[in-house]
Amino acid sequence: MPSLENKRIILGVTGSIAAIKAPAVARELVRAGASVTCVATDGALQFTTAEELSEASGQPVIISIFSGQEHHPPAPSSSQRRGSDVWHVHLARSADAMLIAPCSASAIGMLRTGIYDNAVTLVAASLPKGTPLVIVPAMDEDMWLQAAVQENLAWLKRHGVFVIEPVVGKLASGLTGMGRMPEPEDIVEKFARIVAPASSPVSGSANGEPAGTPALQGKRILITGGPTYEPIDAVRFIGNRSSGKMAAALAIESKHMGADVTLILGPTTPFPLLEKEGVSLRTVGTAEEMLQAVNAETATADIIIMSAAVADFAPEHASEGKMKKGAGETMTLTLKKTPDILAEISKSKRPDQIIVGFALEKGDEAEDYARKKLLEKNLDMIVMNNIADEGAGFGYDTNKITIFTKSGERIALPLMSKEQCAKEILNRITILP
Ligand code: C5P
């Protein structure tokens, strides 16, 4: 699990019965190295106490939107002293991330509609842009299935809130069903993957697991990358400018995270680092060859990441030798569609398999197209780059990506190196529901 060392975390606790587990969540956060400030609603305090939260976090607990009503008031910092009425702004600005566990159905509705009249939603609303907000819904199954709750969650995900999904299990009502809050150590593990620096191939033994267990240990990852070249004749081809850099970065980062990695790479410049890192490399030329190579590997792959820029069309017949220029001013090539490798493999996707696609889009409707492909190609995640973005896409060492997940999350990332993008993508994969 990535370490939360030196991270300042706000733990919001709202009025779901699962709040009885909130002190254990605080303790897990502290064990992972975080400095934790708990903020609780009145509802939360029906199920846990400020004393328990304070004891678990080692810090005073905020129990009211009025800063004077803290449990064990902390010595205010100079900025808090200057403006204690806006304590929530100072607290939110000093945090690296906020976790709301449990997040009740009402709190979800309040966050969605902008109702900030309790301490938890008030602090959440005050988080600066870019500070992650992670919520852990917990409620009875019938509440969980309410259209309002599901729509509110979908809206929050689209607006950048991370959701750690509830699990099926015994509920407070005595019934068994969906809506149970995951165990505190599972919550903190997923939370750390969202919040901690993306690399984190190995981490400490904060939760008792052996130090150095990489996040993708034991997983088989299949990655495609680079362009494909579709021959016109013996010397000419139809291709594109894809460099394969994104795929190479994904392969190397996957290795660092403990995976067994196969990279199927179209014709591009060699990446000597791949073999040094132990990536198993297969090189192919055409879309058809890439399809054959992918088909040979899919059955044993746990995660498939298709970042290749496969040519969409190939000449219907490749001429033998070198085609003559001829006397005419124009020439006509008949093209046929290449196989859509991603669409093909996702038809026989196993329920336990994760498939990630890429989408290079342009214009205002880029996101709509990417979302449509996510659905149509039955993907768990799609990584979009907009060709209008400076420094992003083919050939560059940097990329600007937006990630969409099947469960509705939208994560827009700034321009960053392709290595950093790879880390972000892989980290998001490890926390997919
Ligand atoms: O439909 P579009 O080509 O935009 O989809 C892009 C995604 O589909 C990428 O993940 C790419 O690797 C994959 N793809 C494919 N085979 C094709 C075309 C695209 O696997 N022939």
Side-chain angles (χ1 to χ4, degrees):
M1 179 177 75
S3 163
L4 291 173
E5 208 67 51
N6 301 323
K7 297 275 178 211
R8 280 152 308 174
I9 305 301
I10 302 167
L11 173 62
V13 186
T14 66
S16 152
I17 298 180
I20 52 176
K21 288 200 241 169
V25 176
R27 266 192 296 277
E28 281 300 321
L29 288 168
V30 170
R31 266 154 55 95
S35 151
V36 182
T37 303
C38 293
V39 182
T41 62
D42 289 347
L45 297 178
Q46 301 296 311
F47 306 108
T48 183
T49 63
E51 286 78 8
E52 279 180 309
L53 289 169
S54 171
E55 204 178 292
S57 63
Q59 294 198 42
V61 179
I62 294 171
I63 55 172
S64 162
I65 59 170
F66 304 106
S67 57
Q69 296 180 27
E70 292 158 1
H71 176 77
H72 303 317
S77 67
S78 54
S79 55
Q80 280 172 324
R81 239 179 278 128
R82 271 200 306 275
S84 60
D85 289 348
V86 288
W87 62 272
H88 53 96
V89 176
H90 299 297
L91 179 63
R93 294 191 81 84
S94 70
D96 292 298
M98 179 170 186
L99 172 67
I100 306 182
C103 192
S104 67
S106 302
I108 291 168
M110 291 168 80
L111 290 170
R112 192 255 158 102
T113 47
I115 298 173
Y116 305 132
D117 64 358
N118 70 43
V120 172
T121 57
L122 180 65
V123 174
S126 310
L127 293 172
K129 203 169 183 313
T131 303
L133 171 63
V134 183
I135 65 173
V136 191
M139 63 202 72
D140 202 61
E141 184 173 71
D142 290 319
M143 290 176 77
W144 171 251
L145 293 175
Q146 283 299 329
V149 172
Q150 290 304 318
E151 279 189 16
N152 289 342
L153 275 172
W155 187 93
L156 289 171
K157 286 178 184 178
R158 279 202 305 281
H159 288 79
V161 175
F162 296 97
V163 179
I164 296 178
E165 305 277 341
V167 292
V168 175
K170 203 156 172 41
L171 302 166
S173 56
L175 301 169
T176 298
M178 182 66 174
R180 183 182 162 89
M181 189 165 90
E183 291 309 310
E185 52 273 30
D186 296 335
I187 293 173
V188 173
E189 160 105 42
K190 288 193 169 174
F191 177 71
R193 291 199 194 292
I194 295 167
V195 166
S199 54
S200 313
V202 287
S203 65
S205 55
N207 65 356
E209 73 178 332
T213 305
L216 293 173
Q217 183 82 57
K219 298 284 179 203
R220 268 212 81 229
I221 303 198
L222 172 64
I223 301 169
T224 66
T228 62
Y229 284 180
E230 311 300 331
I232 297 170
D233 63 17
V235 291
R236 303 180 179 96
F237 59 84
I238 291 177
N240 59 65
R241 295 181 209 281
S242 169
S243 63
K245 285 179 185 168
M246 192 64 241
L250 281 163
I252 290 169
E253 289 308 326
S254 303
K255 264 319 266 192
H256 289 174
M257 292 171 78
D260 179 4
V261 186
T262 298
L263 172 60
I264 298 173
L265 195 61
T268 177
T269 46
F271 297 93
L273 209 54
L274 289 172
E275 282 179 28
K276 228 175 98 196
E277 295 278 357
V279 172
S280 147
L281 184 66
R282 314 249 184 293
T283 50
V284 293
T286 64
E288 192 58 52
E289 285 168 17
M290 189 173 271
L291 174 68
Q292 302 308 327
V294 167
N295 276 342
E297 301 283 341
T298 42
T300 52
D302 300 300
I303 301 167
I304 303 174
I305 308 177
M306 304 285 280
S307 64
V310 184
D312 291 318
F313 290 94
E316 194 171 23
H317 303 290
S319 303
E320 298 221 344
K322 186 175 173 229
M323 267 169 79
K324 280 285 160 219
K325 207 189 298 177
E329 285 302 308
T330 60
M331 80 164 293
T332 305
L333 272 179
T334 306
L335 303 179
K336 61 171 194 254
K337 262 203 166 145
T338 56
D340 189 325
I341 306 168
L342 183 52
E344 281 301 312
I345 58 160
S346 58
K347 277 186 206 150
S348 49
K349 176 180 182 308
R350 294 196 316 268
D352 62 316
Q353 218 166 26
I354 292 175
I355 303 188
V356 179
F358 269 65
L360 180 64
E361 306 291 351
K362 67 177 176 107
D364 296 342
E365 286 167 312
E367 296 203 0
D368 293 340
Y369 289 135
R371 282 205 179 93
K372 197 161 161 252
K373 274 178 202 169
L374 177 79
L375 283 180
E376 283 177 358
K377 298 199 187 193
N378 188 25
L379 307 178
D380 297 281
M381 178 190 280
I382 196 155
V383 180
M384 185 201 82
N385 35 19
N386 193 327
I387 51 176
D389 288 330
E390 186 79 13
F394 287 178
Y396 292 101
D397 290 329
T398 49
N399 210 353
K400 186 162 184 263
I401 57 172
T402 305
I403 298 173
F404 301 93
T405 66
K406 187 162 85 177
S407 57
E409 279 155 334
R410 173 190 180 277
I411 303 129
L413 296 164
L415 189 71
M416 50 175 74
S417 71
K418 286 192 170 163
E419 285 71 29
Q420 195 63 31
C421 288
K423 288 171 187 170
E424 291 285 350
I425 293 165
L426 292 166
N427 257 346
R428 304 291 159 196
I429 290 174
T430 65
I431 57 167
L432 282 173

